[in-house]
Structure formats: structure tokens, C-alpha cells
Amino acid sequence: VGKRLLTNIIGALKNIDSIKLDATPAGLPLYQKLGFIDEYKIYRMINPELQSFKKQAFNYEPVNIDPESFSDVLKLDKRIFGTARTYLLQTLLRNYPGKAYLIKRNKKLDGYMFGRDGVRFNYIGPVFAFSHDSARILISKALESLNNQPVALDILQDKKKLIKWLESLGFIKQRHFIRMYLRSNSYCGLIKYQHLISGPEFG
């Protein structure tokens, strides 16, 4: 059934040169048989109850994304993510403005973060930044208001330093999935600057 469904979907997207999905380990063999290629692994990390996270002292302080700065975020996001996703980011900003932050260094945009509420967890992501430090500052800003609450995030496997820091805060790896593509990977973006995604249901 899964094969028939996917075959029909792929056929309906015959004019699309790059198709992507996030595969669970259970679905991976089916996607591979249909020609999907592994791009990178993503870990879902959770903290069932964040404990005693204190405000961090950093040289750069994140500020809320406002309508004026949002246009700069969209331009940078298209470059880093690989394609425009204006609707998603507009929706996150409109519904959760208090969870959307950016950070600047030398007056230049160096990173940004969005978040959302879930049924069981508070979700952080996406987080894109030009450095580990900026990514950590942004995530720390989100965690300041989430003490004694459940938190979840989806982090790229290669962000090992950030993963180690999150583990020191009590986060655990719940599961993983593989981002895959079919036909071409012409919209891969700049993966080294992608730290957290928005979730497999959002990208």
C-alpha cells in the first residue's frame, strides 16, 4: 500500500526536479527502493521537564524578529535552506511572535530562530546560524522561558558540539530520521549553517 501511494505521489510530481522527505527507520527501505537517496540524519531530542535553566550571559543578545527585520530573515533563509518557505515562517511568526528571535554581529544578521507550541512539547526550530556560538545563544534564549516544561527539538547529526551541550542540560535522543531526496538535490542549501529544523512535518 505504501509503495502504491508513493508511486502515485511521485507520478503527480513528475514536473518537480527535486522531491524530499524525512524517513523513519521503518520507512527507509521502501524509500530506498523507490530511488530516494540519503542526505543527512536528524535526531529528535527531548527534555521531559527542563530543570533550572538560568539566563546565560553572552556578548550578543537576541532580539525579537519584527516586520522590518523579517524581510532580511526571509532572504537569508532562502539561501541557507535552499528554497523559499515564506508561508511557513510567516505562520510561525504570526502565531508565536514571542518565540522568534534573531542575533546580529557587527550589525549583520548572524542567525535566527522560530518556535511553536505543541500538544505535548514546546518546540524550538528552525534555528539557522553562521556559528555554533550564535546557535547556542538563540537556543538558550528560548530555554529561558521553558523551565519546568517539556521541550523538543530536531537537530542535524553533524552538530555534535551542540548535541553534547544539550545532553548536559538533560536532553536525550528519542529517535532519528533521515532526510532524503529523489531525482536531484539542487535545493540543498547550506547545511553547515542549519542547526535545528522546524520538524519533519514542516521541513
Side-chain angles (χ1 to χ4, degrees):
V1 172
K3 183 177 180 180
R4 290 182 65 183
L5 287 169
L6 274 169
T7 300
N8 284 340
I9 292 170
I10 292 168
L13 299 174
K14 60 184 178 181
N15 295 322
I16 303 298
D17 64 342
S18 182
I19 302 172
K20 289 194 175 188
L21 55 78
D22 293 326
T24 64
L28 187 64
L30 170 60
Y31 303 134
Q32 289 174 331
K33 288 179 182 178
L34 291 171
F36 282 88
I37 299 171
D38 295 6
E39 186 175 7
Y40 52 83
K41 182 182 288 186
I42 301 168
Y43 290 118
R44 162 64 56 87
M45 297 188 74
I46 64 168
N47 190 324
E49 189 176 1
L50 183 68
Q51 293 291 324
S52 304
F53 187 84
K54 298 180 180 179
K55 182 178 175 63
Q56 307 287 295
F58 295 108
N59 293 328
Y60 299 90
E61 182 69 19
V63 297
N64 278 115
I65 297 173
D66 57 26
E68 185 177 349
S69 59
F70 184 57
S71 60
D72 293 330
V73 169
L74 286 177
K75 290 176 185 177
L76 185 57
D77 187 77
K78 183 176 181 180
R79 176 185 164 208
I80 294 178
F81 185 68
T83 189
R85 50 179 183 171
T86 304
Y87 177 78
L88 171 64
L89 299 186
Q90 281 180 335
T91 302
L92 290 174
L93 181 61
R94 181 177 63 252
N95 293 340
Y96 311 103
K99 297 177 181 287
Y101 287 89
L102 62 81
I103 188 170
K104 287 187 175 182
R105 292 176 184 259
N106 301 318
K107 299 182 179 181
K108 291 184 178 181
L109 184 58
D110 200 64
Y112 50 94
M113 167 184 71
F114 293 83
R116 57 190 169 88
D117 299 337
V119 176
R120 296 177 55 214
F121 291 92
N122 297 279
Y123 289 88
I124 303 173
V127 173
F128 291 173
F130 288 120
S131 69
H132 163 81
D133 288 343
S134 287
R136 179 168 169 172
I137 290 170
L138 287 164
I139 295 170
S140 295
K141 185 67 177 179
L143 295 178
E144 287 175 10
S145 61
L146 296 175
N147 271 310
N148 304 313
Q149 298 183 53
V151 184
L153 50 83
D154 296 302
I155 185 168
L156 274 66
Q157 179 190 32
D158 65 331
K159 305 304 183 288
K160 295 180 181 179
K161 191 175 179 181
L162 203 58
I163 290 171
K164 187 175 181 180
W165 172 65
L166 289 165
E167 288 176 334
S168 75
L169 299 176
F171 282 82
I172 57 174
K173 294 173 183 172
Q174 184 187 44
R175 59 178 173 83
H176 76 270
F177 43 93
I178 305 292
R179 181 150 291 181
M180 308 183 78
Y181 65 91
L182 182 68
R183 297 177 184 153
S184 78
N185 194 20
S186 50
Y187 304 97
C188 61
L190 302 173
I191 295 172
K192 65 179 179 179
Y193 302 132
Q194 301 178 25
H195 297 268
L196 308 184
I197 68 166
S198 188
E201 65 273 52
F202 295 110

